[in-house]
Amino acid sequence: MDIRSRALQDGRPTLSIRDLTVDFPKRDGAFRAVDGVSLDVWPGEIVGVIGESGSGKTMTALSTLRMLPKRAVVSGSIELGQRRILDLSPADMRKLRGDRLSFIPQDAMRALNPTMRIGRQVGEPLVLHRNLSFKAAVSRAVDLLRAVHVREPERRVEDYPHGFSGGMQQRAMIAMGLALEPELIIADEPTTALDVTVQAQVLKLLKEIRDREATSILFITHDLGVVAELCDWVYVMYRGRIVEQGSVERIFMDPRDDYTKMLLASTPTLFPREAAI
Amino acid sequence: MATAAGFDFRRWRLVLLGGLLVGIVLFAAIFAPWVAPYSPFDLDVAKMLQGPSAAHWLGTDELGRDVLSRAIYAARISMQVALLAVTVGLVGGTLIGMTAAYFGGLVEQALMRAMDLLFSFPAILLAVVLMASLGTSVLNAMIAIGIVFIPGFSRLARASTQAVLRQQYIEAARSIGMSDIRIIFREILPNITAPLMVEAAVAFAYAVLLESALSFLGLGAQPPDPSWGNMLSTGRGFMAQAPWLSIVPGMAMFICVLGFNLLGDGLRDVTDPHMRE
Amino acid sequence: MIRLVLTRLAGFVLTLFAASVVLFVTINVLPGSAAKSALGIHATAQAIQRFEAQHGLDRPLLVQYAEWLGRILQGDFGTSFQNGVAVGPELLKRLPVTLELATFAFIIANLIAIPLGAWAARRHQKGADRSITFLATILGAIPNFWLATLLVLVFTLTLRWLPPGGFTPFTANPMMNLKQMIMPALSLGVVSSALLIRIMRASMLEVLSTDYVRTAEAKGASSRTIVFRHSMRNAFIPYLNVAAVEFGFLFGSVVVIEDIFLLPGVGSFVLVGIINRDYPVLLAGALAITLFVLTLNLVVDLIASLLDPRQVKARNA
């Protein structure tokens, strides 16, 4: 039951991280935020990385985007498709971001520019990577917003972010991430700031996208319920290391690591409906 | 780790550089009679408008007086005015700011509105109008400049006091029945001195500038008493024949103002916890 | 938006009114010397009394103020104690000079401060940032009237490129006007830019650390695109507000600068008023400069809120 089914269908993972280590130099030695992490995301798979804040999960995600603070020291290897991320020049890395690899952050309201219309922001990846004019990009943004179920997208592209509800802002961020049909979407707690019903809608949307576009998703969260709802495969992180990995069903039914057990024990909604099937 | 004694030179370098410049000016001001090679008042018509020489390092002025000696004695007036003006501003502003923050409500509204109003006047204009009312003299220059500083200090004192008031120990002091006056001077004042001292250093620089401007306009120190402002003012009349008469007093002001600004900036960095890595 | 403008206008009028009270009281609180100054030191007590009665200086301050305000609202600024010339028309003649000087100086200050401040923020804690911060410290320590003196020394006395002072209306001779204006505007603008550089740098740093800048980076935007497309407008909003206030604070220096360059503007009018204890002149001039600064603040405030879609919408609703 702990077999990674998608791994069998295709020969190569979308994302492959090996022995990733991230250090932050301090006056006395260094702080190791990520300590020898290895993980894979296969095509069309939603992979969860779960851990409490400070466990290194966000640092792992930012390493993949090469957007860590400048003083961080990174070692190991990260491959996206055939590309060795850590060896790319800054210019090549920039071409990858927003194109083959996109990022959905935690707090959509703060992640949207308050003085720029939604349409321009959602369509901007097309301007940056496909040399479209903003006019053409905004008309593409209408389609993108429609795809994430924003009502009246023709009118909404003219809005500023403060005119959007929290859920709609997150949908706009997802639409922006989808603009160029990336190989991998990294989502860093995208539903934490939302209330429960909106959260469920956004999760449903992410699943729908995976099913429709076969995009791989790396999903960072501290919420076991969300993992159960959404993910195919889970990595559990604690203090910079991966302490356990497995299919969602296996992790929930038969946790082996003490930290995972503790996490499960401290979550009230223990047995989500999908895991039980 | 070369700084074994725990003294971080890089962090303190602005303070040291500013302190050095300020130290030079203060030294000249305090020990003027011993430092200055000549009396600032001794006329020598035979030596009118002589350029820099071994006998007169910075030349002589239109009445044959030694420019270096006059510049040194001018430091005295500058420092006296600045010291008193900053004291007036600091004491007045702190009292008003603390009163406003401590009592709140209508008192605060009235006091701070009045401060906003004073703040809406351009600094030199306010000083100049006050001088017109008080009459031209060095003492009045000190008072006028001090009044200009009151709104700035009062805003800072109010903000700092509000921060202190949110602390637990103020509640404790009130609960044991300490009087308002006692709380203000025993509990609040000691805790808001650091930001006020930083502001005082910057105000010192500005006081020197304002005093010079007033003297330049003929509203401050009156000839033959030397002040950098009136030296520059008379020197301008001989700019073609004796440019050093315009350069020397300006340079002195520059060094003095730069010193206090560096000191203020440096102290701000050192006392502000946000600036530390 | 209309409500926003009205609120700001109401605040503007109130502040101006309060400022007029402060100026009037400050200037008139110490009686006596105006007459002596106008009539000469040897004036008899009788002559002084007559002078004060004639100009209404012997009545209660409140009455004097009310009358003065009433006349000003009708456009009558009184006549000079010194030479009996009507103050209003004289002030009107001088306003364009100071307006031109202020505009030039503000433009110069911003032309220096905005690019340097933004650049320093973009290169935070790198060489360029340190150099620009150091430059701002140096510029901030130069007294503007000394800079004015040095400019004259270099460009007038040594290079003989520019006239030492004076004023020619732009309409009469544009080239001459600019030649005479450039040094006064530089003296005010360059020194003011020191403070504005710091403000721009701080505003930009704040914006560059926001989540939406990180979003832009995650989209693959270059550092240049991030600064120009995603940050400039946002950094401008706080910058403009603070910059206008600080520039206004420094703008009092027109009194000195106009004196140095023999510009017949409002600043030198104020100075003449002080030296002669010519109260109507002093009051009118000081009020005009205050009005100037308040207007600059108002205009910039409105521009800044136009840049911010949240404010435009919120005030419309």
Side-chain angles (χ1 to χ4, degrees), chain B residues 117 122-123 128 132-133 246 250 265, chain C residues 26 30 146 198 248-249 252 274 277:
Chain B
L117 181 63
V128 155
S133 167
S246 302
D265 285 355
Chain C
T26 309
L30 293 180
W146 186 47
R198 286 162 179 259
F249 196 69
I274 285 167
R277 298 225 149 204

Side-chain angles (χ1 to χ4, degrees), chain A residues 9-24:
Chain A
Q9 298 167 4
D10 199 314
R12 266 195 106 76
T14 311
L15 175 73
S16 172
I17 298 179
R18 288 292 169 270
D19 301 319
L20 178 73
T21 300
V22 178
D23 285 320
F24 287 94

Side-chain angles (χ1 to χ4, degrees), chain B residues 101-102 160-168 170-171 174 188:
Chain B
Y102 190 81
S160 309
T161 305
Q162 282 172 336
V164 173
L165 283 175
R166 283 191 285 271
Q167 307 292 319
Q168 288 288 318
I170 298 297
E171 206 48 53
R174 271 196 187 130
I188 297 176

Side-chain angles (χ1 to χ4, degrees), chain A residues 67 94 97-98 110-116 121 124 128-129 134 160 162 173 176, chain C residues 211-212 214-215 217-222 225 229-230 233-234 237 307 309-310 313:
Chain A
M67 278 173 53
R94 205 172 65 224
R97 282 190 210 119
R110 296 192 354 185
L112 286 163
N113 189 332
T115 65
M116 208 168 162
Q121 297 195 59
E124 197 187 6
L128 291 168
H129 299 290
F134 262 109
Y160 286 98
H162 61 82
M173 287 305 297
M176 192 190 297
Chain C
D211 284 9
Y212 57 83
R214 197 173 73 160
T215 303
E217 196 188 349
K219 272 192 244 187
S222 65
T225 308
R229 192 184 290 158
H230 292 273
R233 183 169 165 183
N234 301 284
I237 296 166
L307 283 174
R310 284 161 299 187
K313 175 149 186 171

